[in-house]
Amino acid sequence: MNILYAVSEAAPFIKTGGLGDVAGSLPKALCAEGVNARVILPLYSSIAEKWREKMQFLFYTTVHLSWRRQYAGVYSLEHEGVIYYFVDNEFYFKRGKAYGEPDDGERFGFFSRAVVEIMPLLDFKPDIVSCNDWQTALIPIYLRYEQAEFYREIKSVFTIHNIEYQGRFIEWCLGDVFGLPRELYDSGIIRYENDINLMKGAIYKADYVTTVSPGYAWELRNPYFACGLHKVIEDNAYKFSGIVNGIDMQRFSPENDRHLPQPFSADELSGKRECKRALCRELGMDENDDGPIIACISRLVSHKGCDLISAALDSLVSKGVRVVILGTGDSAFENRFRDAEYRHRGRVSSNIMYSEQRASLIYAGADMLLMPSKSEPCGLSQLIAMRYGTLPVVHAVGGLRDTVRPYPLDNSNGFSFGDYSTDALLGTVDYAVGVYYNKEQWRSLMKRAMTEDLGWSRSAKEYIDVYRKITQ
Ligand code: GLC
């Protein structure tokens, strides 16, 4: 089975969030299960020279985007056994950032159109194109309109990583930019209010739709979570399900992490103590203080629960908990956290930055990871934290509810609260701190979290089941 995995970012080449991690690890796991998965993504100018040097130029072609005729160069590179195709066009991809440009619609319209037109020119004919988020949502739609024999058998899967970003554009883009027929708008398939909505169109036109956890799949039928698309999800429920994300167990491992002063594992936890000391030294905290450190590694935006965290900070500190924050985002939150650091020197550390090295040290050195997201399609930080023996404290929604089994349940690997409120958060941290001081108990929770199978193999099999179902 040949799978072309179309995506707007993939680690280690370009990553802005969890989508990049998934695209950098799921295809490898699919290959390990015996399918032939290849990835296609834009050749952004920010992709490092060390990768470009290894790329091989395959060919170029002209892509038809409505009345436009645009150059598309195709490069390829093999990385960890997976073949990646990169679509080159400097007009669209030589920009400061991957997303957030005023012409994003045209840029990803071009990319999606390019994927469709490049396919017959590759020495690889996909049985399925596996598409991800709005940036590739046009592909399942385009495939329905292709007349050539080549496309007849090709199926599409569309995966929703986050329903908050739907790809909404002004109506005239439909024909003038995307080159699609008016009927898509008039029939309501791609129309949302008076705009066009690419995610909506893909949900209708793809052969199958997935999202990144069963819990989120269930929540998306509810208007509270679905950002206006609950009816669309309901309509398409017959071809919709959730498959939980995994992580790359090799990449996220305290045994192999070169950023750590000392490696550790579930059997040899002494390195974790050393990491906690190193973290304290680096952040100007007392390294002899044995009290709990709770970390938050996240984009600093409201739906990740930053409003709860900032409301809870002073109380956490007064309970003797030290708080470490890492991330960037809304300047209001960045400033509130900087201010908290200023007011609580040595108790709160706000690292308003993006740093993989600092993230590793925090995952390894902290005792708990706080993740009170208002909604969370899957979430990867809680999984990474578990690998490092740092127990997650989460709001029980979406993928967080699916992956964190709260203490004191059998087999628990973390803590969770049901209400989205500061009181619920504080109550649960209090409870976790009580368990933290019961050293035996805490150690057994850590070990369980660290030895859990959080890799891709089970989920890769579920993707393959979906791929099989639609090609039979
Ligand atoms: C998005 C979601 C996150 C998920 C990731 C990968 O970033 O917000 O919950 O883990 O996609 O699927």
Side-chain angles (χ1 to χ4, degrees):
M1 188 168 15
N2 288 348
I3 310 294
L4 187 61
Y5 196 85
V7 68
S8 55
E9 57 180 89
F13 310 108
I14 163 96
K15 175 182 141 180
T16 73
L19 175 61
D21 283 312
V22 171
S25 51
L26 169 60
K28 190 163 82 170
L30 291 170
C31 290
E33 296 299 326
V35 305
N36 192 351
R38 301 188 178 185
V39 183
I40 187 162
L41 71 157
L43 183 57
Y44 301 101
S45 51
S46 55
I47 293 180
E49 192 50 42
K50 72 167 185 190
W51 301 118
R52 287 169 182 268
E53 276 167 8
K54 295 187 184 137
M55 290 178 194
Q56 187 194 349
F57 174 76
L58 297 183
F59 56 82
Y60 73 88
T61 183
T62 300
V63 170
H64 305 73
L65 189 64
S66 185
W67 47 267
R68 298 168 192 76
R69 301 288 173 269
Q70 301 287 33
Y71 166 90
V74 181
Y75 290 77
S76 82
L77 165 66
E78 187 173 333
H79 178 65
E80 296 182 348
V82 177
I83 293 179
Y84 292 81
Y85 297 111
F86 294 86
V87 178
D88 177 35
N89 177 304
E90 293 200 340
F91 172 64
Y92 291 124
F93 302 127
K94 190 171 179 179
R95 306 285 177 98
K97 46 188 185 230
Y99 321 119
E101 297 281 312
D103 59 344
D104 273 2
E106 184 178 328
R107 295 171 69 222
F108 292 100
F110 164 78
F111 175 63
S112 300
R113 197 59 230 158
V115 170
V116 173
E117 295 191 20
I118 284 167
M119 260 188 256
L121 307 174
L122 299 172
D123 60 351
F124 175 81
K125 180 174 177 183
D127 299 298
I128 290 160
V129 188
S130 210
C131 307
N132 298 278
D133 276 354
W134 76 264
Q135 292 89 342
T136 53
L138 281 161
I139 298 172
I141 305 173
Y142 284 140
L143 283 174
R144 298 280 173 178
Y145 288 96
E146 290 307 315
Q147 299 298 328
E149 177 64 29
F150 175 86
Y151 296 99
R152 193 142 306 155
E153 303 276 291
I154 299 179
K155 306 284 189 204
S156 64
V157 171
F158 180 67
T159 299
I160 301 169
H161 292 263
N162 195 336
I163 207 156
E164 282 179 51
Y165 308 101
Q166 300 176 354
R168 279 180 71 167
F169 301 98
I170 195 165
E171 178 227 322
W172 61 257
C173 291
L174 184 72
D176 191 74
V177 178
F178 303 134
L180 284 166
R182 179 79 198 175
E183 67 179 43
L184 274 170
Y185 186 81
D186 294 339
S187 64
I189 296 250
I190 208 171
R191 177 175 177 176
Y192 187 90
E193 293 168 349
N194 290 323
D195 289 340
I196 55 177
N197 182 321
L198 302 185
M199 186 173 269
K200 180 179 176 188
I203 295 171
Y204 278 106
K205 291 296 187 185
D207 293 289
Y208 200 89
V209 182
T210 69
T211 187
V212 290
S213 69
Y216 194 59
W218 178 72
E219 287 166 353
L220 288 185
R221 290 163 168 226
N222 183 324
Y224 179 82
F225 290 101
C227 301
L229 294 186
H230 52 285
K231 289 222 172 64
V232 179
I233 295 285
E234 196 67 54
D235 259 6
N236 292 281
Y238 69 96
K239 55 165 188 184
F240 177 59
S241 62
I243 302 176
V244 74
N245 286 332
I247 54 173
D248 185 325
M249 299 276 278
Q250 288 306 107
R251 192 175 311 154
F252 297 110
S253 152
E255 281 172 274
N256 309 333
D257 190 333
R258 60 191 166 81
H259 297 309
L260 303 186
Q262 197 179 316
F264 59 95
S265 67
D267 299 326
E268 182 44 69
L269 280 169
S270 61
K272 184 157 171 88
R273 268 207 70 77
E274 188 42 48
C275 289
K276 184 168 179 179
R277 287 171 166 277
L279 177 66
C280 289
R281 280 197 297 275
E282 179 140 337
L283 304 183
M285 293 176 160
D286 177 4
E287 61 178 286
N288 297 314
D289 181 343
D290 182 45
I293 296 183
I294 194 159
C296 169
I297 302 179
S298 171
R299 262 182 309 125
L300 304 180
V301 295
S302 148
H303 78 259
K304 292 286 181 187
C306 284
D307 31 13
L308 295 193
I309 297 175
S310 69
L313 260 174
D314 291 354
S315 310
L316 289 172
V317 172
S318 71
K319 290 172 197 297
V321 176
R322 287 175 290 173
V323 184
V324 176
I325 291 161
L326 174 73
T328 59
D330 287 353
S331 53
F333 288 120
E334 294 181 348
N335 289 334
R336 245 182 267 175
F337 294 141
R338 284 192 187 104
D339 172 64
E341 170 173 301
Y342 178 75
R343 288 185 293 111
H344 302 290
R345 283 252 173 255
R347 312 295 306 169
V348 173
S349 168
S350 296
N351 305 264
I352 309 301
M353 57 165 87
Y354 177 88
S355 159
E356 295 209 347
Q357 179 175 353
R358 184 65 60 90
S360 279
L361 190 59
I362 298 174
Y363 278 123
D367 301 293
M368 303 171 207
L369 179 91
L370 185 57
M371 213 169 157
S373 311
K374 196 178 276 174
S375 70
E376 194 62 75
C378 179
L380 298 172
S381 309
Q382 82 278 19
L383 305 178
I384 300 171
M386 282 186 221
R387 287 287 284 155
Y388 288 81
T390 297
L391 298 178
V393 178
V394 305
H395 175 218
V397 277
L400 296 175
R401 190 181 37 224
D402 289 346
T403 54
V404 177
R405 294 181 303 274
Y407 185 82
L409 290 184
D410 282 352
N411 269 325
S412 50
N413 55 11
F415 299 83
S416 73
F417 52 94
D419 266 7
Y420 185 73
S421 72
T422 311
D423 284 344
L425 183 156
L426 285 170
T428 307
V429 172
D430 248 357
Y431 181 53
V433 168
V435 182
Y436 170 84
Y437 283 112
N438 178 344
K439 290 293 174 197
E440 265 314 289
Q441 188 62 267
W442 192 259
R443 191 163 308 125
S444 79
L445 280 171
M446 276 168 64
K447 286 191 175 184
R448 178 165 319 124
M450 292 178 80
T451 48
E452 190 140 325
D453 178 9
L454 303 170
W456 270 108
S457 70
R458 199 174 334 130
S459 299
K461 289 193 185 94
E462 289 181 40
Y463 274 97
I464 293 172
D465 287 344
V466 165
Y467 296 151
R468 289 238 163 80
K469 195 173 345 183
I470 59 175
T471 45
Q472 260 158 19

